[in-house]
C-alpha cells in the first residue's frame, strides 16, 4: 500500500501518454486490486475544513506534492466549495478557472490522474482540455445540463454524487439515493456516456442529516447492485461531530473509522484530506484481513 511498484509507475506513464483514456483509466486504476485513495486539494477560501489554506498557488502545489508523496492514487482538485453544510457562495466561472489556472499544470505534472471537482460543465471542459482526466460532479449530472455532453465528448470518467438542496429526516435516504442514481444513469446513457466510466457516490453530508450519512455508509451495499465502483467521502464531515463532538481538524479518527467500514461495505475509492494516515489504516486493515 502506498509503495510504488515498477508496474504502477509504468501504468502512470501510460496514463500520461493517453490524456483522455476514458473507461481504460478507471479500469486500470481499479485493477490495482485495493481501495483507491483520492486526495483532496481545495483551492478555495471557504471549504468547510481547510478553506483558505491552499488558495495561494505555491501552497496548493506543495499540498498536491504532499498528497502524491503520501500515496494518493488520484488527486481531486476543487476551486468552488460545494458547501455540504449550507451558506453556499456561488463562484463565477471566471473566478473558478482563475483559481485553477496557476496550479493545474503543475498538479497534472505530478503524474497522478487528476479529477476536477466542479458543478460547471465549462470548468470541466476547460480542465479536461488542460489534462485533467476525471470529473467529480457533486450534482451527479443533474445540475448543469451541459455536463453530460462535455463528459461524452471528452470520453472522461465521472463521479456521480448524490445531492439534495435540503435534508429531510422523514425520507428513506437509501431509496432517495437509489432513485437519484437511476436518474443520473439515464442522463448519462442519453448523452452516450459509457456505463464503465461511471463511479457512484452517496454524497456523505450533502442534503442529509447526520443519521442519514451514517446510514449511507452502513448500507453502502444497497448500491452494489448497480455494478459500478462506489466512492465514499466521509473525511472530516459533520456526522462525525454528531457522534463525538469535534471540530473538522479533530475528526481524523472518525474519518478513518468511516472509511474502513465503507471499504468493508464495498467502497472502491475513498476521498480524503489526510492521505498518509488513511493509506496506513487501509494497509493494516488489509494485512489483518489476509491473516484470517
Ligand atoms: N465532498 C466534498 C466535496 N466534494 N465530492 C465527492 N464525490 N464526494 C464527496 O463526499 C465530496 C465531494 C466536501 O468536502 P471538501 O471538498 O473538503 O469541502 P468543500 O466542498 O467545502 O470544499
Amino acid at each position: 500500500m502506498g509503495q510504488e511498484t515498477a508496474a504502477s509507475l509504468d501504468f502512470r506513464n501510460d496514463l500520461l501518454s493517453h490524456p483522455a483514456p476514458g473507461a481504460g483509466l478507471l479500469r486500470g486504476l481499479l485493477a490495482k486490486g485495493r481501495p483507491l485513495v483520492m486526495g483532496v486539494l481545495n483551492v478555495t477560501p471557504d471549504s468547510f475544513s481547510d478553506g483558505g489554506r491552499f488558495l495561494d498557488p505555491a501552497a496548493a502545489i506543495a499540498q498536491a506534492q504532499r498528497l502524491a508523496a503520501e500515496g494518493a492514487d488520484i488527486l481531486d482538485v476543487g476551486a468552488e466549495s460545494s458547501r455540504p453544510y449550507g451558506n453556499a457562495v456561488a463562484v463565477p466561472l471566471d473566478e473558478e478557472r482563475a483559481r485553477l489556472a496557476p496550479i493545474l499544470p503543475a498538479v497534472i505534472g505530478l503524474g497522478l490522474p487528476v479529477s476536477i471537482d466542479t458543478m460547471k460543465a465549462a470548468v470541466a471542459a476547460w480542465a479536461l482540455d488542460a489534462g485533467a482526466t476525471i470529473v467529480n460532479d457533486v450534482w451527479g449530472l443533474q445540475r448543469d445540463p451541459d455536463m453530460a455532453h462535455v463528459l461524452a465528448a471528452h470520453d472522461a470518467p465521472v463521479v456521480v454524487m448524490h445531492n439534495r438542496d435540503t435534508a429531510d429526516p422523514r425520507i428513506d435516504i437509501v431509496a432517495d439515493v437509489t432513485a437519484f442514481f437511476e436518474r443520473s444513469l439515464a442522463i448519462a446513457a442519453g448523452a452516450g456516456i459509457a456505463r464503465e466510466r461511471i463511479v457512484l457516490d452517496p454524497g456523505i453530508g450533502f442534503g442529509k442529516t447526520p443519521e442519514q450519512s451514517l446510514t449511507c455508509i452502513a448500507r453502502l451495499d444497497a448500491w452494489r447492485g448497480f455494478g459500478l465502483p462506489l466512492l465514499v467521502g466521509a473525511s472530516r464531515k459533520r456526522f462525525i461531530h454528531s457522534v463525538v463532538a469535534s471540530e473538522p481538524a479533530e475528526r481524523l479518527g472518525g474519518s478513518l473509522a468511516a472509511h474502513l467500514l465503507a471499504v468493508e461495505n464495498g467502497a472502491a475509492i475513498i476521498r480524503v484530506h489526510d492521505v498518509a494516515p488513511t493509506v496506513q489504516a487501509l494497509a493494516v486493515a488489509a494485512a489483518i484481513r489476509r491473516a484470517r
Side-chain angles (χ1 to χ4, degrees):
M1 178 60 77
Q3 282 176 1
E4 294 290 3
T5 61
S8 76
L9 284 173
D10 281 344
F11 172 67
R12 285 181 195 166
N13 290 339
D14 192 47
L15 286 179
L16 286 175
S17 54
H18 297 91
L25 171 104
L26 207 51
R27 220 175 312 130
L29 282 167
L30 295 166
K32 291 187 181 188
R34 56 168 176 76
L36 301 172
V37 175
M38 174 185 261
V40 179
L41 177 62
N42 285 321
V43 193
T44 56
D46 56 350
S47 286
F48 82 93
S49 83
D50 56 5
R53 284 190 57 200
F54 309 116
L55 195 54
D56 169 58
I61 293 166
Q63 177 65 1
Q65 286 165 338
R66 180 175 171 189
L67 297 172
E70 290 181 352
D73 299 290
I74 303 167
L75 298 176
D76 187 43
V77 184
E80 175 175 21
S81 168
S82 49
R83 281 304 169 108
Y85 308 115
N87 306 322
V89 184
V91 178
L93 172 63
D94 287 348
E95 172 68 21
E96 195 174 338
R97 268 195 307 232
R99 290 177 187 171
L100 292 165
I103 64 129
L104 204 55
V107 175
I108 289 166
L110 294 173
L112 289 176
V114 169
S115 132
I116 177 81
D117 183 351
T118 186
M119 323 174 203
K120 296 189 188 75
V123 173
W126 172 84
L128 291 168
D129 285 339
T133 40
I134 303 171
V135 174
N136 175 18
D137 181 2
V138 297
W139 280 97
L141 309 177
Q142 296 185 33
R143 192 44 62 108
D144 187 327
D146 293 330
M147 188 63 101
H149 302 291
V150 163
L151 287 158
H154 284 80
D155 187 30
V158 59
V159 179
V160 160
M161 198 195 82
H162 170 267
N163 212 330
R164 296 172 52 84
D165 282 316
T166 51
D168 181 349
R170 296 161 307 177
I171 62 168
D172 174 343
I173 194 65
V174 173
D176 195 72
V177 171
T178 302
F180 182 99
F181 286 163
E182 279 164 358
R183 279 196 302 279
S184 295
L185 290 173
I187 294 168
I193 299 172
R195 216 178 146 88
E196 312 82 73
R197 284 198 273 129
I198 300 173
V199 173
L200 300 176
D201 176 353
I204 304 304
F206 286 87
K208 295 174 185 70
T209 64
E211 294 71 25
Q212 289 171 336
S213 285
L214 290 166
T215 299
C216 286
I217 299 172
R219 300 277 315 280
L220 198 64
D221 59 349
W223 301 299
R224 278 188 178 185
F226 283 104
L228 298 174
L230 299 171
L231 184 151
V232 168
S235 195
R236 301 181 184 171
K237 290 208 172 139
R238 188 180 290 174
F239 77 93
I240 297 170
H241 169 79
S242 77
V243 181
V244 180
S246 47
E247 293 302 312
E250 301 165 344
R251 297 178 190 161
L252 176 58
S255 304
L256 293 172
H259 288 133
L260 289 180
L261 285 166
V263 165
E264 206 64 33
N265 292 343
I269 309 174
I270 55 181
R271 180 183 181 277
V272 308
H273 301 87
D274 303 290
V275 168
T278 305
V279 165
Q280 186 181 80
L282 288 172
V284 171
I288 293 170
R289 237 177 271 124
R290 280 196 301 275
R292 259 182 205 149

